[in-house]
């Protein structure tokens, strides 16, 4: 029988990939979309263009907001979903320091609103819930790598709110026998990543610098290390977690970590450019021999033509304290053994392939656009 899923955060990076996965698996997918003054479904719209009409017809979008308990109850009661994926969040860690109360309302109480709706609509025996937990829960890490039993030490309003959501899921599982599972997901990226997360900021900036549209890239902590995977692998893990025979908590990661500095070097290297790092702290710079553009070059669209342009060596990466956080998470590296053993999940897309895909996507989109004008 066809299953029905309800996804909050359907317009985000993960929501878009998860929608595609569930439609491919034959689900009817209901998604929660916030009203906004500008279109916020562009990722979903583009993804849907790649699907057959029959699949697109199984996607139904509803206006709503995770902060509106009545709206959430009414939707869940009428959809009667087999599976709920609670992905809605104010997901930017740095911005959570500026908007701590809003972030807590969405990220912490949002999860509770879902649980209460399922309980009060008498759906405990029917509906499984997935909560988007995060490696940010480990924060100031007490062991390397981090697994399900590693103690939590959140370092931002974002992570503290997510810790509430994580525990309220476990609490309703114990108290009401709700099928409520969590995925403690480490950073995962893709060409659909929002532009103010560091990976996408880097790949977009590299593309712009190497096509003459931007002078340099300003970053914060270049030493931060993350365990970066690909979002497509991670939404597959979400589905496996919810289709396991019992509710549980799983770390989803690659087991490898890289610094922000390495990500930058790798992204430039994808387009054939080396970076030399000089200086330390706020005075560190990344230098490269990059093309010098004149007006007529700004319309070129062939990456091989880059080598024909005159080149100059100059700083292309700078450090700007505006991007430092009041409290930083310096290092994250996950141990996904439990997911591998119990779910048969493992990452399939390497770090190199991830950086390559994101960099080429942004470079090609930019150079093809400039061709149009
Ligand atoms: P994202 O791209 O920022 O998407 C967040 C989604 O939440 C968007 O659809 C957004 O809607 C929606 N949203 C925000 N506030 C809402 C509200 N008040 N009511 C309803 N919807 C709201 O995030 P993502 O990278 O896909 O991540 C998905 C989830 O996984 C998030 O909960 C995130 O915290 C968590 N997570 C992500 C990672 C990662 O590395 N990506 C790792 C661990 C955990 P708009 O489009 O209208 O803004
Ligand atoms: N955003 C950003 N911008 N981060 C920078 C910059 C910059 O200019 N320069 C350095 N960084 C560093 C941050 O300080 C952080 O240590 C690291 O790059 C990664 O930052 P983000 O890409 O913003 O991601 P995040 O790790 O803080 O949070 C993401 O991953 C979490 C899982 O660990 C988000 O997707 C969260 O929602 C998710 O829970």
């Amino acid at each position: 029988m066809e299953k029905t899923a309800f996804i909050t955060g359907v317009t985000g990076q993960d929501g878009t990939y998860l929608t595609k996965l569930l439609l491919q698996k034959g689900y009817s997918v209901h998604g929660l979309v916030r009203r906004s003054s500008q279109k916020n479904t562009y990722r979903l719209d583009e993804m849907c263009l790649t699907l057959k009409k029959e699949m697109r017809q199984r996607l139904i979008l509803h206006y709503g907001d995770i902060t509106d308990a009545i709206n959430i109850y009414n939707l869940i009661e009428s959809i009667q979903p087999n599976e709920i994926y609670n992905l809605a969040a104010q997901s930017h860690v740095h911005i959570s320091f500026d908007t701590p109360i809003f972030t807590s309302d969405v990220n912490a109480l949002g999860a509770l609103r879902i649980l209460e709706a399922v309980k009060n609509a008498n759906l405990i025996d029917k509906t499984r819930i997935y909560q988007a937990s995060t490696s940010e829960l480990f924060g100031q890490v007490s062991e390397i790598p981090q697994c399900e039993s590693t103690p939590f030490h959140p370092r931002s309003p974002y992570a503290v709110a997510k810790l509430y959501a994580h525990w309220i899921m476990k609490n309703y599982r114990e108290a009401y026998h709700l099928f409520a599972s969590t995925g403690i997901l480490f950073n995962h990226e893709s060409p659909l990543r929002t532009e103010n997360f560091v990976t996408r900021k880097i790949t977009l900036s590299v593309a712009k610098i190497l096509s003459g549209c931007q002078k340099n890239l300003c970053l914060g902590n270049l030493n931060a290390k993350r365990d970066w995977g690909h979002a497509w692998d991670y939404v597959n893990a979400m589905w496996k977690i919810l289709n396991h025979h019992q509710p549980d908590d799983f770390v989803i990661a690659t087991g490898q970590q890289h610094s922000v500095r390495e990500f930058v070097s790798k992204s430039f290297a994808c387009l054939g450019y080396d970076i030399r790092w000089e200086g330390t702290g706020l005075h560190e710079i990344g230098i490269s021999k990059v093309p010098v553009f004149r007006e007529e070059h700004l319309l070129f669209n062939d990456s091989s033509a880059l080598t024909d342009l005159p080149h100059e060596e100059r700083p292309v990466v700078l450090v700007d304290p505006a991007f430092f956080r009041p409290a930083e998470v310096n290092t994250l590296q996950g141990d996904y053994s439990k997911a591998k053993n119990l779910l048969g999940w493992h990452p399939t897309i390497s770090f190199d392939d991830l950086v390559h895909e994101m960099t080429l996507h942004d470079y090609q989109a930019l150079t093809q656009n400039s061709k149009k004008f």
Side-chain angles (χ1 to χ4, degrees):
M1 220 176 62
E2 186 182 274
K3 278 191 181 177
T4 301
F6 177 47
I7 304 177
T8 72
V10 74
T11 55
Q13 169 189 255
D14 292 5
T16 302
Y17 280 115
L18 182 64
T19 298
K20 180 173 182 175
L21 180 77
L22 296 182
L23 291 174
Q24 284 175 346
K25 287 185 183 293
Y27 283 63
S28 284
V29 177
H30 293 255
L32 183 73
V33 178
R34 292 197 286 179
R35 188 269 160 184
S36 70
S37 66
Q38 286 198 319
K39 203 165 164 53
N40 58 358
T41 55
Y42 67 95
R43 283 184 269 227
L44 272 179
D45 295 342
E46 278 188 25
M47 183 276 291
C48 281
L49 290 176
T50 68
L51 302 179
K52 290 189 186 126
K53 191 174 172 199
E54 177 278 320
M55 277 195 201
R56 288 202 299 270
Q57 284 170 338
R58 282 189 274 110
L59 173 62
I60 301 138
L61 300 179
H62 307 266
Y63 278 116
D65 198 293
I66 199 76
T67 58
D68 183 337
I70 294 174
N71 163 252
I72 295 300
Y73 174 84
N74 287 340
L75 285 173
I76 290 175
E77 207 266 340
S78 70
I79 296 167
Q80 302 262 314
N82 303 96
E83 297 173 11
I84 298 177
Y85 295 85
N86 182 34
L87 310 184
Q90 191 300 92
S91 69
H92 202 283
V93 173
H94 199 171
I95 293 172
S96 78
F97 287 97
D98 298 324
T99 59
I101 293 171
F102 170 72
T103 301
S104 304
D105 195 3
V106 174
N107 297 10
L109 295 183
L112 180 57
R113 291 184 188 103
I114 301 260
L115 290 163
E116 276 293 295
V118 169
K119 180 161 78 70
N120 294 328
N122 295 318
L123 288 170
I124 286 182
D125 293 331
K126 172 166 186 175
T127 305
R128 296 179 171 204
I129 305 174
Y130 171 87
Q131 169 60 23
S133 288
T134 164
S135 50
E136 281 287 306
L137 300 179
F138 300 121
Q140 185 77 30
V141 300
S142 55
E143 61 183 6
I144 297 174
Q146 297 84 52
C147 64
E148 291 78 4
S149 59
T150 302
F152 296 134
H153 183 153
R155 295 269 286 169
S156 62
Y158 166 83
V160 174
K162 282 283 187 176
L163 185 57
Y164 175 89
H166 185 80
W167 275 106
I168 201 70
M169 286 285 151
K170 286 165 85 86
N171 178 249
Y172 272 54
R173 190 196 298 163
E174 291 169 11
Y176 304 113
H177 307 291
L178 235 143
F179 196 112
S181 290
T182 70
I184 306 173
L185 272 50
F186 283 62
N187 298 50
H188 45 280
E189 319 293 315
S190 74
L192 300 190
R193 187 59 141 155
T194 303
E195 297 172 10
N196 58 0
F197 292 98
V198 78
T199 56
R200 189 77 199 288
K201 178 174 169 181
I202 293 168
T203 60
L204 273 167
S205 296
V206 168
K208 287 180 184 170
I209 290 167
L210 294 179
S211 49
C213 307
Q214 183 174 314
K215 198 158 169 46
N216 47 44
L217 162 63
C218 294
L219 291 169
N221 183 7
L222 295 170
N223 294 317
K225 289 186 174 164
R226 288 292 181 275
D227 178 330
W228 277 299
H230 195 292
W232 178 249
D233 278 339
Y234 287 49
V235 301
N236 271 279
M238 292 177 192
W239 180 80
K240 281 180 180 261
I241 288 171
L242 221 44
N243 284 275
H244 190 49
H245 62 87
Q246 61 185 30
D248 208 339
D249 311 302
F250 292 93
V251 160
I252 301 297
T254 70
Q256 312 287 322
Q257 65 169 196
H258 300 272
S259 66
V260 170
R261 189 183 295 101
E262 278 176 78
F263 198 107
V264 174
S265 294
K266 183 81 63 186
S267 182
F268 271 101
C270 288
L271 294 174
Y273 287 82
D274 289 332
I275 295 277
R276 193 176 80 249
W277 297 96
E278 281 186 5
T280 54
L282 290 177
H283 303 293
E284 183 164 358
I285 50 175
I287 298 168
S288 186
K289 200 168 178 184
V290 289
V292 182
F293 291 90
R294 290 192 302 275
E295 193 85 356
E296 64 269 27
H297 295 136
L298 295 177
L299 296 178
F300 84 92
N301 54 56
D302 174 8
S303 65
S304 62
L306 278 175
T307 45
D308 300 335
L309 292 171
H311 279 59
E312 68 174 0
E313 193 170 74
R314 63 174 179 82
V316 285
V317 187
L318 308 172
V319 175
D320 182 340
F323 298 109
F324 284 98
R325 296 164 182 197
E328 174 66 298
V329 171
N330 289 309
T331 178
L332 288 172
Q333 186 175 8
D335 170 358
Y336 66 91
S337 310
K338 181 176 171 184
K340 188 176 172 199
N341 294 334
L342 297 186
L343 305 175
W345 180 88
H346 61 88
T348 65
I349 302 168
S350 70
F351 176 72
D352 283 7
D353 288 347
L354 171 71
V355 183
H356 199 255
E357 182 188 344
M358 291 177 71
T359 306
L360 280 216
H361 171 275
D362 288 337
Y363 184 72
Q364 281 163 3
L366 204 65
T367 50
Q368 277 158 20
N369 275 345
S370 62
K371 187 181 170 190
K372 276 189 214 143
F373 296 108

